[in-house]
Amino acid sequence: MKLLTFSPRDLDSPRLGVVIGDHVLDIYRGFRDLYDATPPNWFSDLKLLIEGGEPALDLLKRFVSDAEKNLRSSSPTLLKNLYRLDTIDYYPPILAPEKILCLAANYMEHAQESRIKPPEAPYVFYKPASALIGHERPIIMPRSSEKVDYEVELAVIIGRRGKYVEASKAMNYVFGYAVFNDISYRDRQMPPGWPEKLDPFGQRWLHGKGMDTGAPMGPWIVTKDEIPDPHSLRIGLKVNGETRQDSNTGNMIFKVDKIIEFITDGITLKPGDIIATGTPPGVALATGKYLKHGDVVEAYIERIGTLRNIVMKEPI
């Protein structure tokens, strides 16, 4: 299933939806109308649904099956809860994750183009939840940065609470996957003269990675049953139609199971937490092609979809 948080255009009323063809069905209101019953709270928010575990997901699957039958019938009751995908506003699929964890240099060629040594263990940093934006929302170029970069990444959404998770069991903790764009502000991230002149405290991760709108994600989450192998997906990014990144998730240095094992060694992952697994080569740090006002950025991953955002300069 493809699950998203959306609202009918201009209503600013976030709802949980499931993609059916080129439409999205409002799950909470659809359940209410189809069964003439009060929906469970699970169906009002994607994080609540994930926290509900297998019972919530099984109930949703049964509802979606019944809903599809109803929509094919001669007298569908759900049409008023069905919206074309091009008529909705998108939010980040998870509105308030506790953690957004990102990997640096998890593709060998990206490490090389960035002139850094590939890590011997996953190198993980945080982004604040305040940086999250959804599909078709603007990436704001802040007044304090002139070198705004892009990084397409496979995002892993955690489905179960876990600590000290062994790699052999790690995939049992995955709920699904999404497209993530790790926006970076290179002139804020890299100290002057980097890397020849090293700052003793290293790169500046807070403003270099975590400024507002610096974490586009979406357009939806694809449940893991639709992606048996997350390490065989074409991944890439275009700016104004020009291909800037084009690779395969199989080129990750550290795979999803090892990443989860590493993170949970002392840290508890919770339902709805997001792990962005690193980017392939082709970023502006290497090419000098930084984002500018009006650019259209399209990050895509095979079997998931395309995340599209327009770049806008922050007003003074």
Side-chain angles (χ1 to χ4, degrees), residues 48-123:
L48 289 177
L49 175 73
I50 297 171
E51 290 173 347
E54 289 300 325
L57 198 56
D58 288 344
L59 180 60
L60 176 60
K61 290 176 181 177
R62 290 198 294 272
F63 163 67
V64 171
S65 177
D66 290 345
E68 290 176 333
K69 292 176 184 176
N70 178 267
L71 290 168
R72 290 194 298 266
S73 70
S74 57
S75 302
T77 60
L78 297 180
L79 285 179
K80 66 179 180 180
N81 301 304
L82 196 67
Y83 303 87
R84 288 204 330 266
L85 290 172
D86 60 357
T87 67
I88 63 172
D89 289 327
Y90 291 80
Y91 296 82
I94 306 290
L95 290 174
E98 181 178 281
K99 293 185 281 295
I100 304 174
L101 301 164
C102 304
L103 267 72
N106 196 32
Y107 287 71
M108 184 67 70
E109 291 180 339
H110 174 55
Q112 293 170 344
E113 72 176 357
S114 302
R115 297 187 293 168
I116 59 176
K117 179 183 176 182
E120 297 178 2
Y123 192 102

Side-chain angles (χ1 to χ4, degrees), residues 51-219:
E51 290 173 347
E54 289 300 325
L57 198 56
D58 288 344
L59 180 60
L60 176 60
K61 290 176 181 177
R62 290 198 294 272
F63 163 67
V64 171
S65 177
D66 290 345
E68 290 176 333
K69 292 176 184 176
N70 178 267
L71 290 168
R72 290 194 298 266
S73 70
S74 57
S75 302
T77 60
L78 297 180
L79 285 179
K80 66 179 180 180
N81 301 304
L82 196 67
Y83 303 87
R84 288 204 330 266
L85 290 172
D86 60 357
T87 67
I88 63 172
D89 289 327
Y90 291 80
Y91 296 82
I94 306 290
L95 290 174
E98 181 178 281
K99 293 185 281 295
I100 304 174
L101 301 164
C102 304
L103 267 72
N106 196 32
Y107 287 71
M108 184 67 70
E109 291 180 339
H110 174 55
Q112 293 170 344
E113 72 176 357
S114 302
R115 297 187 293 168
I116 59 176
K117 179 183 176 182
E120 297 178 2
Y123 192 102
V124 185
F125 61 91
Y126 273 97
K127 273 183 182 269
S130 58
L132 274 176
I133 59 170
H135 178 61
E136 297 288 2
R137 299 296 176 117
I139 298 168
I140 303 300
M141 295 180 60
R143 285 175 275 176
S144 59
S145 177
E146 298 293 330
K147 293 184 176 181
V148 181
D149 206 345
Y150 50 82
E151 294 187 4
V152 61
E153 309 198 4
L154 173 70
V156 176
I157 292 78
I158 297 299
R160 294 171 51 192
R161 185 185 184 96
K163 187 176 183 180
Y164 300 114
V165 177
E166 297 176 6
S168 61
K169 300 176 182 178
M171 301 308 291
N172 296 330
Y173 290 78
V174 174
F175 176 81
Y177 306 94
V179 184
F180 190 92
N181 191 349
D182 174 13
I183 299 298
S184 305
Y185 311 90
R186 301 303 190 186
D187 44 0
R188 300 297 303 276
Q189 179 186 358
M190 311 295 188
W194 180 274
E196 290 81 9
K197 183 179 178 182
L198 299 181
D199 186 308
F201 297 103
Q203 296 182 27
R204 297 166 181 165
W205 294 100
L206 177 61
H207 290 94
K209 291 284 189 175
M211 289 200 277
D212 295 348
T213 75
M217 177 177 159

